[in-house]
Amino acid sequence: MPTLRIQGNEIPYDEKDIITFPEGLIGLPNLSRMVAVKQSTIEPFIWFAAANEEDVAFVVAEAQSLYPNYQPTLPDDSSAKALFAEDETPVVFAIVLIDADWQKSTANLRAPLFVSAKTMRGAQVVLNDNSFAVGEPLPLAAAAA
């Protein structure tokens, strides 16, 4: 079983947990194969760790679990639409920035990750809707502030 390293820990993973991003991530085109790693100690957050880049990992969350009213759609002109079946609703993840002062932690709702649970393929897409923020305060952090 292959392993990857997150915060100095070797973590085994299954090939079925790899999400392929054919175009890579925005600004990081080399990150095209990410492993979704769930750990009970950080729920509801999930690690996305690079399968091909050692020690590269970041935190994401299923966006609707944090923001129940957040329902972004792929722009009509997005090439990412080809990754999903017409009747498929992709899972939407937001990249989360955990600040040393946890009350300043944020999620990127402007450029979410759309993932097909059927094919494990995805894309990061910048949304046309300006009402979504790159640094949206996390609900718990906002409530504590």
Side-chain angles (χ1 to χ4, degrees):
M1 182 173 274
T3 62
L4 46 84
R5 182 180 300 275
I6 299 176
Q7 294 189 325
N9 298 312
E10 289 289 326
I11 299 173
Y13 67 92
D14 193 308
E15 292 287 327
K16 69 176 178 48
D17 296 328
I18 294 177
I19 301 168
T20 302
F21 292 87
E23 295 180 11
L25 301 180
I26 296 172
L28 301 164
N30 57 316
L31 295 183
S32 61
R33 297 183 64 217
M34 303 299 293
V35 181
V37 179
K38 293 183 180 183
Q39 290 182 311
S40 61
T41 56
I42 66 167
E43 285 181 5
F45 304 109
I46 300 168
W47 288 105
F48 268 23
N52 299 339
E53 298 276 337
E54 194 169 317
D55 295 327
V56 175
F58 52 89
V59 177
V60 300
E62 192 170 333
Q64 281 195 307
S65 72
L66 298 177
Y67 307 93
N69 296 326
Y70 180 68
Q71 297 181 358
T73 56
L74 285 166
D76 289 333
D77 61 349
S78 175
S79 62
K81 282 193 167 230
L83 296 174
F84 308 103
E86 222 173 280
D87 61 340
E88 181 177 13
T89 301
V91 180
V92 180
F93 293 96
I95 296 175
V96 177
L97 175 62
I98 305 294
D99 196 276
D101 177 357
W102 70 271
Q103 293 178 341
K104 294 181 181 175
S105 297
T106 61
N108 182 346
L109 299 184
R110 185 68 189 272
L113 304 163
F114 290 84
V115 175
S116 168
K118 293 177 185 176
T119 65
M120 295 299 280
R121 292 171 50 101
Q124 185 175 22
V125 178
V126 176
L127 302 175
N128 297 328
D129 187 342
N130 289 333
S131 66
F132 299 127
V134 171
E136 186 69 32
L138 292 181
L140 291 177

